[in-house]
Amino acid sequence: MTTAFENLLYIYGDAICGRKTILPENCDREAIAKKAIEQNILPLIYFNLFGEETNNRYYALVMQSLANNERRMFFLGKLSKELNEAGIEHCVLKGSSLATLYPMPELRISGDVDILINPSDEKKVMKFMEDRNFVVADREEIAQNFTAKHPKAGLFEIHVKLFDSEFDKYVLKGKFKVKEPFDTMKTPDGTSLNILGKNDGLYFAASHMIKHFVKDGLGLRQISDWLLYVEKYRKETDMDGFNSVIEELEFKKFMNAIYTIGNKYFKMNFECEEENPEDILSDMDDGGSFGHNDTDRKKYKVKLLHGLYGKSERERRKGVLKTLWRIAFPSKRTLIQKGFLKENSTAFMVPVGWIKRWMDVLLRGKLKKIGSVTGTADVNDEKLEKRREILGDYNFYKNKRKENEKDV
């Protein structure tokens, strides 16, 4: 773990707990700011790191992020109201519903908005979004959401379930479901939004954190979302029941490591069996939020998950073929979204769109990207093995069958 990242942890802990930071002498604020950007938390720590300074490049970035988020939240409030008026049951997930846990909610900024709907309303909501000038993409077969992008509102992810089918089956064992009626929350500007019930929110905040740790890499926001949620709602939720599920799934060591981060770096006070979380933190330092800083993770992610899920070589090959078919012959909606067909194109134009897509893949050198998506790309074996070891240490990677170590 680098010095800059370690300093960021202490500053971030102060910021999310409403404390001012006394910076150490010879503090490299530029290096810390860079790490904050990699973790997508610069607005949250800016004032603890730079105080009231306005004459640096980071201030402009923070102000732009705040403006974009305010616009996004305005659209969310309007959209949620219209969904209610249309009789479409829904609730807001992730950052938009958790920001009020922070001392300054407007600084807890997400890159997109996540909305959960009933699966039976999927086609209806797709049409609903398109009628409001969102460009809607098809949902992949096992995926939990489809995307809808607006030129002003930005990216919305519309979930028909909380997690993709494979992660829910192999890692969560189907234990994390929506069981309660939705609650209602008020945003700082007075907008009313539907959110998960308190116990459902507890399970989701934990499992969302676990999902990113397992798949790509954990981010500081997911850790602080969880810790602040528990700190606020532990007396109003069934923590005993939750802890029993964690024990059953063998996630206790991981959860204790997260609590240890809260106690050691954020100066919080959680009862836990102390763990050494340095491997998790170093993984976060190397990869950035969601592992986006480590381009190798995209290449070996599919291979990692195949082993994690215990898939046989036959299952892997079947998955590769399905992915290649989806890439080679996308739907009309996807072709329009990607710009290969015009909005009013007929079904007869779809083959033309396919040809345009194939030419784009060949001419723009995207074959390597296809290798990453299908899990057939050459990968950095050392990095892959390192992530396997980290996941194994926390009881996520349990499949040791030889066929799972073979290349597809």
Side-chain angles (χ1 to χ4, degrees):
M1 179 169 54
T2 61
T3 300
F5 190 76
E6 184 176 10
N7 286 336
L8 174 62
L9 290 173
Y10 290 113
I11 295 169
Y12 188 61
D14 286 342
I16 66 171
C17 295
R19 300 185 299 262
K20 289 186 178 181
T21 299
I22 300 175
L23 297 175
E25 292 184 15
N26 302 318
C27 176
D28 189 344
R29 296 194 298 173
E30 289 288 321
I32 295 170
K34 181 180 178 182
K35 288 296 180 182
I37 290 172
E38 291 175 358
Q39 289 290 325
N40 295 322
I41 58 169
L42 181 62
L44 278 162
I45 63 104
Y46 178 86
F47 297 102
N48 281 50
L49 185 61
F50 292 106
E52 300 300 320
E53 286 185 24
T54 60
N55 60 345
N56 62 58
R57 64 190 182 96
Y58 301 114
Y59 182 77
L61 289 174
V62 169
M63 291 301 105
Q64 185 62 53
S65 295
L66 288 171
N68 290 341
N69 190 60
E70 185 175 350
R71 181 168 61 249
R72 191 181 300 116
M73 293 303 293
F74 169 79
F75 272 91
L76 172 59
K78 185 173 183 293
L79 194 70
S80 180
K81 181 180 179 182
E82 291 175 355
L83 284 168
N84 286 331
E85 291 172 349
I88 298 174
E89 188 177 15
H90 69 284
C91 81
V92 177
L93 299 172
K94 302 182 188 178
S96 301
S97 66
L98 298 171
T100 54
L101 298 172
Y102 291 75
M104 297 181 69
E106 65 274 18
L107 300 181
R108 199 296 185 195
I109 298 172
S110 297
D112 55 27
V113 171
D114 296 84
I115 296 176
L116 177 68
I117 62 169
N118 192 306
S120 62
D121 288 329
E122 183 172 5
K123 291 188 181 299
K124 185 177 180 180
V125 174
M126 281 184 164
K127 178 68 165 54
F128 178 92
M129 301 298 280
E130 287 176 332
D131 289 345
R132 286 152 181 80
N133 298 319
F134 282 83
V135 178
V136 176
D138 281 325
R139 180 172 63 87
E140 296 177 21
E141 183 181 353
I142 66 168
Q144 70 270 32
N145 63 272
F146 64 87
T147 61
K149 193 169 185 179
H150 190 278
K152 293 183 179 179
L155 182 66
F156 280 55
E157 292 187 352
I158 312 300
H159 294 244
V160 298
K161 49 190 175 183
L162 294 179
F163 306 100
D164 72 74
S165 302
E166 292 186 331
F167 179 78
D168 189 31
K169 176 181 178 181
Y170 292 108
V171 178
L172 300 180
K173 310 295 185 186
K175 298 289 185 180
F176 294 66
K177 303 293 184 184
V178 177
K179 299 179 179 179
E180 302 172 320
F182 295 149
D183 281 346
T184 302
M185 65 167 279
K186 289 282 187 181
T187 64
D189 67 357
T191 301
S192 180
L193 297 174
N194 300 325
I195 60 172
L196 292 173
K198 288 185 175 62
N199 280 298
D200 286 345
L202 180 78
Y203 280 81
F204 183 69
S207 50
H208 182 235
M209 177 174 60
I210 290 167
K211 182 193 79 169
H212 282 297
F213 175 63
V214 167
K215 287 192 166 189
D216 308 288
L218 194 52
L220 280 174
R221 285 183 310 184
Q222 287 69 56
I223 292 178
S224 57
D225 285 348
W226 165 251
L227 294 176
L228 292 173
Y229 194 96
V230 174
E231 190 173 58
K232 182 171 182 178
Y233 294 120
R234 62 179 130 194
K235 293 182 179 179
E236 300 175 48
T237 52
D238 180 13
M239 289 298 300
D240 289 339
F242 171 81
N243 290 332
S244 294
V245 172
I246 293 299
E247 289 262 14
E248 181 182 348
L249 295 174
E250 300 181 12
F251 296 166
K252 185 177 179 181
K253 181 177 179 180
F254 173 76
M255 298 305 296
N256 280 331
I258 299 302
Y259 289 133
T260 301
I261 291 172
N263 292 342
K264 180 176 179 179
Y265 294 101
F266 301 166
K267 300 177 185 175
M268 298 172 118
N269 186 25
F270 292 99
E271 291 184 10
C272 68
E273 296 175 18
E274 187 172 324
E275 293 286 346
N276 184 351
E278 303 307 309
D279 50 356
I280 294 177
L281 294 172
S282 293
D283 186 60
M284 294 168 64
D285 189 6
D286 292 340
S289 184
F290 306 156
H292 289 168
N293 276 16
D294 185 356
T295 55
D296 286 313
R297 295 195 190 195
K298 293 180 181 178
K299 296 179 182 178
Y300 66 64
K301 176 179 176 179
V302 175
K303 288 186 177 181
L304 180 72
L305 292 179
H306 280 165
L308 184 80
Y309 297 158
K311 288 190 175 183
S312 67
E313 191 169 344
R314 180 182 178 185
E315 290 173 314
R316 295 183 186 193
R317 292 186 183 280
K318 184 179 178 181
V320 168
L321 291 175
K322 289 179 72 173
T323 301
L324 287 173
W325 182 269
R326 174 176 53 80
I327 292 172
F329 302 104
S331 67
K332 175 184 169 184
R333 184 191 296 275
T334 299
L335 292 169
I336 292 172
Q337 185 211 19
K338 298 291 185 181
F340 299 116
L341 289 180
K342 294 182 179 179
E343 184 68 40
N344 58 354
S345 296
T346 65
F348 294 104
M349 292 298 294
V350 170
V352 175
W354 290 340
I355 294 171
K356 288 182 178 179
R357 179 177 174 84
W358 300 337
M359 294 300 295
D360 180 69
V361 169
L362 292 173
L363 294 175
R364 295 178 64 183
K366 293 183 178 179
L367 288 176
K368 289 184 177 179
K369 185 177 180 181
I370 291 175
S372 297
V373 173
T374 58
T376 57
D378 292 332
V379 301
N380 186 317
D381 290 326
E382 184 178 345
K383 286 189 175 182
L384 172 57
E385 187 56 36
K386 184 178 179 180
R387 283 229 85 218
R388 280 176 174 158
E389 288 177 2
I390 292 173
L391 294 179
D393 285 344
Y394 290 96
N395 298 316
F396 293 108
Y397 197 92
K398 303 169 187 174
N399 304 295
K400 303 299 182 183
R401 293 180 301 174
K402 289 185 177 180
E403 70 258 30
N404 293 330
E405 304 302 324
K406 295 178 183 178
D407 290 340
V408 175

